[in-house]
Amino acid sequence: VELVPAATIVTIDLRDGSTENHRYWSFPRTADLREELSPAEFTERYAQALADSVRECETSDTEVGLFLSGGVDSASIAALSTIRPRTFTALNGSTLANEDAEYGHRVARHYGLDNHQVLFDVSRVPAAQEWKNLLWLLESPQCGPEVFYKRELYRFVKARFPEIKGMLLGGGSDEFNGGYTATFGDDWAQFTSGIDDMALRDERHRHRGLAAWWEQSPRPLVRAEVLRRGTPAEDPYERYLRWKYRDVQQYNCWHEDRTAAGSGIEARVPFLDHRLVELSACVPPSLRSRLTWDKRLLRDGLDGVLPSEFAERTKVGFFYGDGIRHTYRAFAGMIAADGDALLEEALSGPRAKEYLDADNARATLRALQQDP
């Protein structure tokens, strides 16, 4: 079993089993944008492309819903939707604390949409078999609470509204629109400094003989040109976007497709339309601080469409923040149930015995239970 790479058509010759790959789209570079656009033209074009993408993602002969987190991304889809979808919001300890649940309700009420708050009681501990079923469905060890919550949202929709066969999502905006810029610093200069440093660290790992020059100093003592060994300097921001492009494929698209399909639902992601990705990725360096810091391209593009209380709301994590203890308590309880049954099963395999420190794994679980 092999994965077909993104934006690729694989042709298999049934006579001899040979394959041929045709790549029909590649992640863009800034140089791909030939025409000069002003900030206003960028935002206008982005808003129009998003509206077109939402309309195309709504096309269906069955009912389509919307996962509404209360953030600017899903709120934008609610504002641009023409089909008045039922909306679904996760209500757990975290989304109560960070106000996502409240804002999901407020956005739905503003647009006259049904909003179903899907309750994850803070006292509920998932069963071990639930977790193993999820891992089987996911076909990947990259599984965590976010994936569990999403799977349960889809299960709720299937049980209550089996006529819904497609689900609109706000995912894919943060990765290419500056949604994570503030995690690297308080302003654009700190953000660019952070991704510059990441690029240099990558180069450092490729030239291990020079690693000692970093061990005693927080700042690089070897010039970047030496690390690059004569290769052209790479734009760290473009490198960062390509990293997020790989990240989306390896994690977001992977678990979203499987958790949705596990309930007979198709995930539809307007922000991953190639036109939007191309516009975001091709903002020239001179306009990046204006358009790609804290999602200005999206926020400004929806001026007059989305009320400012929703458009300017600060990004919050799905379950990170003040309420994260509720999530960690539930999942630590799941791992510790029945005498650490899940953990002991994981530690029992021959490869686990070869690679893992079982005592430290158990101690980590005890620490999580004591302080989630």
Side-chain angles (χ1 to χ4, degrees), residues 68-85:
L68 186 59
S69 72
V72 62
D73 304 322
S74 58
S76 301
I77 297 174
L80 295 169
S81 175
T82 62
I83 61 172
R84 302 181 60 77

Side-chain angles (χ1 to χ4, degrees), residues 261-272:
S263 291
I265 297 173
E266 182 179 86
R268 299 189 172 188
V269 194
F271 283 102
L272 290 186

Side-chain angles (χ1 to χ4, degrees), residues 64 85 99 116 134 161 167 171 178 253 266-267 285 298 309 340-341 372:
V64 175
E99 298 185 325
H116 300 269
L134 177 59
F161 304 100
M167 188 63 62
C253 291
E266 182 179 86
L298 171 63
E309 67 170 314
D340 300 351

Side-chain angles (χ1 to χ4, degrees), residues 338-349:
D338 299 323
D340 300 351
L342 270 179
L343 178 60
E344 293 304 325
E345 181 179 350
L347 293 173
S348 66

Side-chain angles (χ1 to χ4, degrees), residues 11-28:
T11 304
I12 304 172
D13 191 322
L14 297 182
R15 292 167 297 186
D16 59 13
S18 62
T19 62
E20 180 181 337
N21 286 12
H22 168 62
R23 189 177 186 92
Y24 57 85
W25 186 84
S26 296
F27 196 82

Side-chain angles (χ1 to χ4, degrees), residues 61 77 97 102 137 205 283 340-341 348:
D61 56 3
I77 297 174
E102 177 186 344
L137 175 67
H205 289 305
V283 173
D340 300 351
S348 66

